[in-house]
């Protein structure tokens, strides 16, 4: 189990974690747009209502950067735990 099944499932697990992180960021922003008084989603929606396009773009860029950083952390953890896979594909040292 520890030597074959879990290492074989790790690539799929980390792919699922990255997808789930993206869905979590979108859900958080959507929830803030609907029912919050503060937060990034609220700021984007309020800026939309007030026709403040630069603030909308800044909020969306911030959301994208936060999503990319959290996804990069998951990817780095996956590469650390699956060194055999990274070395096999020639992606790292």
């Amino acid at each position: 189990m520890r030597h074959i099944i879990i290492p074989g499932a790790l690539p799929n697990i980390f792919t699922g974690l990255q997808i789930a992180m993206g869905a979590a960021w979108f859900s958080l922003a959507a929830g803030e747009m609907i029912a919050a008084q503060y937060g990034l989603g609220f700021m984007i929606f309020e800026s939309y209502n007030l026709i403040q396009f630069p603030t909308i773009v800044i909020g969306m860029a911030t959301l994208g950067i936060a999503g990319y950083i959290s996804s990069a952390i998951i990817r780095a953890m996956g590469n650390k735990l699956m060194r055999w896979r990274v070395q096999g594909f020639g992606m790292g040292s």
Side-chain angles (χ1 to χ4, degrees), residues 28-29 31-46:
L28 176 73
E32 288 175 350
M33 286 179 184
I34 294 171
Q37 298 299 318
Y38 54 89
L40 196 55
F42 174 76
M43 183 190 77
I44 293 169
F45 191 67
E46 191 67 21

Side-chain angles (χ1 to χ4, degrees), residues 7-90:
L10 280 177
N12 294 329
I13 290 170
F14 279 99
T15 300
L17 284 172
Q18 283 184 319
I19 293 169
M21 184 62 72
W25 277 109
F26 282 116
S27 298
L28 176 73
E32 288 175 350
M33 286 179 184
I34 294 171
Q37 298 299 318
Y38 54 89
L40 196 55
F42 174 76
M43 183 190 77
I44 293 169
F45 191 67
E46 191 67 21
S47 299
Y48 172 77
N49 287 332
L50 297 173
I51 311 172
Q52 297 174 340
F53 295 117
T55 308
I56 296 170
V57 172
I58 290 170
M60 290 173 61
T62 303
L63 188 61
I65 290 168
Y68 178 78
I69 289 171
S70 58
S71 182
I73 291 170
I74 292 172
R75 194 170 32 255
M77 283 185 352
N79 288 341
K80 185 174 177 117
L81 290 174
M82 296 182 292
R83 251 184 234 285
W84 54 270
R85 189 167 190 254
V86 173
Q87 289 174 352
F89 286 124

